[in-house]
Amino acid sequence: ITITAFVSPFLSDRDKVRKIIGSKDFIEVYCAADLKKCESRDTKGLYKKARLGEIKDFTGISSPYEPPLNPEIIVDTGSLDLSDSVEKVINYLKEENLLKKG
């Protein structure tokens, strides 16, 4: 199992990756958090810079985000802590028999 994390704001980009990997091997995990929550977690001040126009094409500010239409997993990272978020992904993998239970 390989897990990767990307800011992938466009449906078409995610669809391309699904086609390359193959639908049976690609699991889309939607880490959902509203913009206000993302900004509150921004330790580098990138959202502030984007709002000031110092960063162009910043997802959620000056560039759109297209939420997944049918992700395999939705993890509400806006309300779940890291441990619970990870547990949700691991439980999904176990339920789908992709990871040994135990």
Side-chain angles (χ1 to χ4, degrees):
I1 296 174
T2 301
I3 298 175
T4 60
F6 295 97
V7 176
S8 51
F10 302 112
L11 291 169
S12 62
D13 292 338
R14 296 189 301 270
D15 287 344
K16 285 178 194 173
V17 173
R18 186 181 292 274
K19 286 178 186 168
I20 291 168
I21 303 296
S23 284
K24 95 175 184 67
D25 292 324
F26 182 85
I27 299 166
E28 186 171 17
V29 179
Y30 175 27
C31 295
D34 64 29
L35 186 57
K36 186 175 180 178
K37 186 64 141 178
C38 292
E39 288 185 89
S40 75
R41 294 176 173 167
D42 181 21
T43 58
K44 296 181 181 179
L46 298 177
Y47 282 92
K48 184 177 181 180
K49 288 180 180 179
R51 288 198 180 279
L52 293 171
E54 295 173 15
I55 301 175
K56 296 180 189 227
D57 298 323
F58 194 86
T59 301
I61 304 297
S62 54
S63 184
Y65 178 76
E66 300 170 349
L69 299 176
N70 223 357
E72 284 74 16
I73 311 168
I74 299 173
V75 180
D76 185 0
T77 58
S79 63
L80 295 175
D81 66 16
L82 179 59
S83 178
D84 291 336
S85 296
V86 170
E87 185 177 345
K88 185 164 184 171
V89 173
I90 289 172
N91 286 339
Y92 173 86
L93 294 172
K94 287 178 181 177
E95 289 166 9
E96 296 296 316
N97 294 315
L98 299 169
L99 195 63
K100 290 184 181 181
K101 297 178 183 178

